[in-house]
Every structure is written in C-alpha cells, then in structure tokens.
Amino acid sequence: MTAHDGALELLTRGEITVRGRIREASNAALYCSVALDGREAHCVYKPVAGERPLWDFPDGTLAQREVAAYEVSEATGWRLVPPTVLRDGPYGEGMCQMWIEADPAQSLLALVDGDEPEDGWKAVGLAEVGEGRTALLVHADDPRLRRLAVLDAVINNGDRKGGHLLPAPDGRLYAIDHGVTFNAQDRLRTLLWGWAGEPLTEEALGVLEALDASLDGGSPLAGRLAGLITREEVSAVRDRVRALRKSARHPEPAGNWPAIPWPPV
C-alpha cells in the first residue's frame, strides 16, 4: 500500500472529529481530524447538507464534483488535488479531503505597477486597488500552475481563485475547492489566464491523449465519473479534452461568461 492509498483509506474509514469551522468558506466547511488504527491526520469535511443552492448546478451535488475533480486529477498523473473521498460523516454524506498546510513563503500571485510583468510572471489583467488606482494582476510562470490551468480547462472550473492554490513545503502544488466544476456549459473562470492562446506543452498534450483514452465509455474512470456527475457532464469532459487536443492551445476567455471569479482571492 502506498502512502497515497493509505491516505484514501484513512479518509474513507477513519473516525471524523470536528475541530472547527472554516469561516471564509461559502458553504459549510469543517476542519476535522480523522483517525484509524493509530494513524491520524487533519482533513476538510464538507457535508452536502451545508451546501447553498446554485442556479446553474443541481442541488446537493458539489461534494460529488469535488471527488470527480480528484478523480480526473489522478488520471492526469499530476496529483494536483489532495486525496478526496465521498463518505458519511457527523452531519451526513459529504466530501472529505486531506488537509494541506500551505507554505506562505511561496508566492504565486501578485499585484504590480506597470503594464508588463517581469520575467518569471504572466499577466492576468488590470485590477482596481482603491482610490482610483489600478495594478497589474500577475501569476507565476510556474509549470505547476500551467498544469493546473490545463486541469481547470478539462473540468471546466468556474471558480479558480488565488486562495485555492496551496504550494506545499515539499515543493508540490495542490489545488482545492472544486465544487463549481463540470458544468456542461462553458463556465471557466480563473486567475490563470497568463497562458491563454499559447501552445500547450508536449507534456500536456501527452496527458490529454492518455486522458482521452481513459474516458472511453466503458473505462473505469468514465464509470467512476458517471457515479458523481451527470451523463451529459461526463460527455462534456470528453469533448473538452478532445477540443484541447485539436487546438493544442490553452483556452482563451469565451466572452459570454465572466472570465475572472469574484472575489479573485
């Protein structure tokens, strides 16, 4: 059993103890510990009962979408989403995800003066910073973020904010909060537009080719996704993967939907 498999077993079978509530979350998100056979870790538990209704998503489906995002992340091999399961908890069924402690010394987003980013940074756009002033919003030209931009395009992430980026002390990047994903309609809203229109990397194209094959109707991945999102949404995932392969470029804002989430962090 790998450490990753052990994390999934702990999240799935361990006893959850609620330690507190994450106040800034828009839906109920509880900071918990989970313990099994002498092992213990911290996790986030989001019960379905605590989800607020959204006009463009079926009620009570955000937890399943979080797990679906984990499944697709695993299929890419990039492991950008922390181990995530759907299980029963103190307040009913919900999403349970391993807690990631971010390294505050790693900066991935910034507001800078001027019209062009410095080397090592990609421009997102101008942002109001108060008193009639604007600044250029930039993100790091980081291969970890670039992989995440591809994953977000595949899962149609409608809410990629700065606070969802968790660079870990070991150099890994994790991304969280994937409840607003997998809509069959274009809903991509993100702070990671710095590569918009640029060619995809050879690595990304290889991952997309493998992902396309793994989404065939009778595949294990397609079967797992079918238990979490609708048939139409599973088909839309496959269509987005094939569209990305055909264009071989990072997507650009469609113009019929706000391109950047609010608030951005």
Side-chain angles (χ1 to χ4, degrees), residues 180-247:
V180 189
T181 50
F182 294 101
N183 198 303
Q185 304 301 315
D186 184 13
R187 291 289 187 271
L188 185 60
R189 293 195 303 174
T190 176
L191 290 180
L192 303 181
W193 287 117
W195 298 283
E198 293 187 15
L200 293 167
T201 65
E202 289 299 320
E203 178 198 37
L205 289 171
V207 165
L208 290 169
E209 180 180 6
L211 190 56
D212 194 354
S214 71
L215 285 166
D216 282 344
S219 72
L221 176 61
R224 291 194 297 273
L225 291 179
L228 297 165
I229 57 178
T230 69
R231 181 181 302 176
E232 181 186 17
E233 289 166 341
V234 174
S235 179
V237 175
R238 190 179 301 115
D239 290 344
R240 287 192 295 272
V241 169
R242 291 174 179 173
L244 285 167
R245 293 185 64 197
K246 183 177 180 180
S247 72

Side-chain angles (χ1 to χ4, degrees), residues 126-171:
L126 293 174
E128 294 185 8
V129 293
E131 299 180 355
R133 294 179 56 248
T134 59
L136 186 65
L137 177 63
V138 298
H139 64 68
D141 188 3
D142 186 312
R144 302 172 301 173
L145 285 182
R146 192 164 190 172
R147 293 176 187 131
L148 182 58
V150 175
L151 176 64
D152 281 343
V154 169
I155 66 176
N156 199 17
N157 192 347
D159 195 35
R160 173 60 70 213
K161 298 176 180 177
H164 301 167
L165 308 174
L166 303 180
D170 64 1

Side-chain angles (χ1 to χ4, degrees), residues 71-132:
E71 291 285 357
V72 176
S73 170
E74 287 296 288
T76 66
W78 288 331
R79 291 196 159 174
L80 292 163
V81 179
T84 311
V85 302
L86 192 68
R87 59 161 292 173
D88 194 36
Y91 299 101
E93 185 179 62
M95 181 279 284
C96 190
Q97 183 177 82
M98 193 65 70
W99 179 266
I100 302 296
E101 200 67 51
D103 179 3
Q106 297 188 50
S107 178
L108 299 174
L109 294 167
L111 287 167
V112 299
D113 293 325
D115 298 325
E116 296 293 333
E118 296 181 357
D119 290 344
W121 296 87
K122 304 290 283 188
V124 179
L126 293 174
E128 294 185 8
V129 293
E131 299 180 355

